[in-house]
Amino acid sequence: MSGNSGSNQMWGGRFAAGPSAIMREINASIPFDKALWRQDITASKAHVGMLGAQGIVSADDAQLIAEGLDKVAAEYEANGVPENWDLEDIHMTTESRLAELIGAAAGRLHTARSRNDQVATDFRLWVRDAMDQAELGLKQLQVALVSRAGEHAESIMPGFTHLQTAQPVTLGHHLMAYYEMIGRDRSRFADARARMNRCPLGSAALAGTGFPIDRFRTAEALGFDAPTDNSLDSVSDRDFALDYLMAAAQCSLHLSRLAEEFIIWASQPFGFVTLPDSLSTGSSIMPQKKNPDAAELVRGHSGRIVGCLTALMITMKGLPLAYSKDMQDDKPPVFEAASLLALSIAAMTGMVAEAAFRTQRMRGAAELGYATATDLADWLVRQANIPFREAHHITGSAVKLAESRGVALDQLPLEDLKAIDARIDERVFAALSVEASVAARASHGGTAPVEVRKRVAQARVALGLEE
């Protein structure tokens, strides 16, 4: 066996040139970091504008570079970013094309910066945009939730614990629970955005620069609140990406829970909702089926998003200061999570907005699930002065009787209830209907229609839908 043949077997037949070919492939990030091209152009224009203002490069060169960057951006917009792996990344790809367009002056663009602070800045800009997009999408989901909750402030359904019928609630109240969850998600993205809005540009490789740069100028130009305060931290920090992924992961859990509700409700045994055709599929062999595929994929995407968070956490867990090449792997999980989250938000917004709720079926399930049993026990305590434990036992007997006859509690004759306990009188029926049950729960945050309408009105104001 020749030496070359042995080398090829060792490195794998794919790498005919041996180790150098492997290094070229493992080192290149252009296949994924080309997604940063808009941020790279924007940050470069801010940087060269500052260099010109500070007299570090001439005004003519600064203008020539800025105009050249605009031409590069136009090419990328029209034709996409070319992938030359020898140029490694979006930063070198852009600078190389700039040199082809304007000549030697392009070499002045990289004065007083490093690819370390350059990518830290570009990535922050991208993540900041992703946070803004998530916040906007979540607001639209809240609008859909509030709109449907307002329609169904009085629509009665069973409330569950352990997925067992517990007490009657209103569909509006149920939907508003997700409004609250999504509101917390929006706050997490807002908090993360405020915390990350500092500009690392000008930190250079790790120690800052000897050029008389104005980091406050570039920070302001890029919409940051201020520059970062430690150059070592600036180039090695990926907390902003982890903050985004943590918020995205928590949000995906809420979206998955909502998706699971729709999956259960759309099943034939429940029959609480008919999902929109646009977010469902059919079976290849069973024509009667309407599968909740979009909801199931949202549920599945949640696992992938949590996986993205875990991947970056493990990547960052043991890195010494400052920059290490491991950090090149920071972008794929963030890009993947952002794409999945945007799809999930859009899918659930459409599902909430377009689903047809079968309210009579919901109401019937609440009645036959004996959801007003607690109301009977409470009535016995309040009106008959019976200790709760005894009232609980009496109620259990009433439920058993109603169940044996296949009727709701309020459909049992008074004489049968009195046979269970003589202290029950006709006043009990005012408490046994599902309508009476939900109406009685008018405490702050309760399911009573009056409380649901109040909360919907407050939410509409908070969302800017009402004055």
Side-chain angles (χ1 to χ4, degrees):
M1 180 182 292
S2 70
N4 284 341
S5 175
S7 175
N8 287 345
Q9 284 192 4
M10 180 180 294
W11 293 105
R14 189 167 166 224
F15 298 98
S20 61
I22 294 178
M23 187 60 200
R24 176 177 177 271
E25 182 159 345
I26 199 172
N27 194 49
S29 59
I30 187 64
F32 55 83
D33 71 17
K34 64 184 180 181
L36 298 174
W37 73 261
R38 289 181 177 85
Q39 291 76 22
D40 196 61
I41 296 287
T42 298
S44 291
K45 289 182 69 176
H47 182 66
V48 78
M50 178 275 295
L51 294 177
Q54 294 295 104
I56 298 171
V57 303
S58 70
D60 288 344
D61 280 348
Q63 181 176 352
L64 183 62
I65 291 169
E67 291 172 352
L69 288 168
D70 286 337
K71 292 178 182 177
V72 175
E75 291 179 358
Y76 290 170
E77 190 71 63
N79 305 314
V81 179
E83 290 188 23
N84 181 344
W85 287 20
D86 289 330
L87 294 173
E88 295 183 13
D89 56 33
I90 184 59
H91 321 298
M92 297 303 294
T93 298
T94 297
E95 188 172 330
S96 175
R97 181 55 181 154
L98 182 65
E100 292 173 353
L101 290 173
I102 69 171
R108 301 189 184 279
L109 171 59
H110 209 54
T111 305
R113 76 175 184 186
S114 161
R115 278 192 291 179
N116 292 355
D117 63 334
Q118 187 178 0
V119 69
T121 303
D122 293 354
F123 197 23
R124 276 188 192 239
L125 291 170
W126 195 96
V127 171
R128 190 175 69 182
D129 289 343
M131 289 177 176
D132 290 344
Q133 289 302 310
E135 202 279 336
L136 180 62
L138 290 172
K139 181 179 179 180
Q140 293 307 307
L141 175 53
Q142 283 189 306
V143 169
L145 288 165
V146 167
S147 175
R148 300 312 301 273
E151 294 174 27
H152 293 285
E154 296 187 15
S155 299
I156 293 172
M157 65 175 291
F160 300 98
T161 61
H162 308 278
L163 208 56
Q164 303 290 311
T165 299
Q167 293 177 297
V169 297
T170 60
L171 175 56
H173 190 56
H174 195 114
L175 293 173
M176 287 302 290
Y178 283 96
Y179 169 86
E180 297 293 336
M181 292 186 207
I182 300 305
R184 293 193 294 273
D185 292 325
R186 288 181 66 190
S187 74
R188 273 184 279 272
F189 282 114
D191 290 346
R193 191 191 193 285
R195 187 164 46 250
M196 62 86 72
N197 204 35
R198 305 286 293 274
C199 183
L201 193 59
S203 298
L206 74 162
T209 178
F211 289 96
I213 61 173
D214 184 349
R215 293 190 62 207
F216 288 88
R217 181 187 180 98
T218 49
E220 182 178 2
L222 294 171
F224 290 105
D225 296 329
T228 52
D229 293 329
N230 183 285
S231 60
L232 279 169
D233 179 55
S234 299
V235 299
S236 61
D237 168 42
R238 292 299 183 270
D239 286 2
F240 62 92
L242 288 169
D243 277 353
Y244 170 78
L245 288 173
M246 288 177 190
Q250 179 67 74
C251 179
S252 76
L253 300 185
H254 291 153
L255 296 174
S256 181
R257 294 181 73 180
L258 180 58
E260 174 69 1
E261 302 262 30
F262 275 97
I263 292 165
I264 293 173
W265 292 354
S267 66
Q268 282 86 348
F270 273 75
F272 286 2
V273 67
T274 300
L275 299 182
D277 290 347
S278 59
L279 293 170
S280 305
T281 66
S283 166
S284 61
I285 64 170
M286 295 171 282
Q288 84 279 10
K289 291 190 68 183
K290 185 176 184 180
N291 298 328
D293 282 13
E296 290 172 349
L297 287 167
V298 169
R299 188 175 60 184
H301 287 351
S302 178
R304 291 174 63 187
I305 292 170
V306 172
C308 290
L309 168 61
T310 303
L312 185 54
M313 291 177 73
I314 298 302
T315 295
M316 295 301 299
K317 72 174 181 61
L319 297 185
L321 296 178
Y323 181 83
S324 297
K325 195 67 171 180
D326 313 44
M327 293 167 67
Q328 181 169 286
D329 284 339
D330 57 357
K331 287 168 280 298
V334 174
F335 293 165
E336 179 182 2
S339 177
L340 293 172
L341 184 66
L343 276 172
S344 297
I345 294 171
M348 295 316 300
T349 301
M351 202 165 297
V352 169
E354 299 175 23
F357 294 106
R358 301 176 64 188
T359 54
Q360 286 303 113
R361 176 90 173 196
M362 289 181 170
R363 187 186 186 284
E367 288 183 330
L368 292 181
Y370 310 105
T372 58
T374 303
D375 298 272
L376 174 55
D378 288 348
W379 185 89
L380 290 167
V381 171
R382 288 195 305 266
Q383 302 299 326
N385 197 28
I386 298 174
F388 181 79
R389 288 301 174 196
E390 184 181 353
H392 187 280
H393 179 76
I394 294 168
T395 300
S397 298
V399 168
K400 184 177 180 180
L401 177 62
E403 190 174 31
S404 70
R405 297 182 181 178
V407 299
L409 280 171
D410 65 343
Q411 294 173 334
L412 287 173
L414 178 61
E415 56 268 25
D416 288 344
L417 289 171
K418 291 180 74 68
I420 294 172
D421 193 283
R423 290 166 289 187
I424 299 175
D425 61 45
E426 66 277 355
R427 293 176 298 167
V428 75
F429 292 107
L432 286 186
S433 72
V434 289
E435 287 82 5
S437 177
V438 296
R441 285 167 171 78
S443 57
H444 180 79
T447 193
V450 64
E451 279 298 309
V452 174
R453 290 195 188 93
K454 183 190 301 183
R455 186 68 190 110
V456 166
Q458 293 169 344
R460 289 182 64 83
V461 171
L463 293 169
L465 302 176
E466 305 282 354
E467 290 292 329

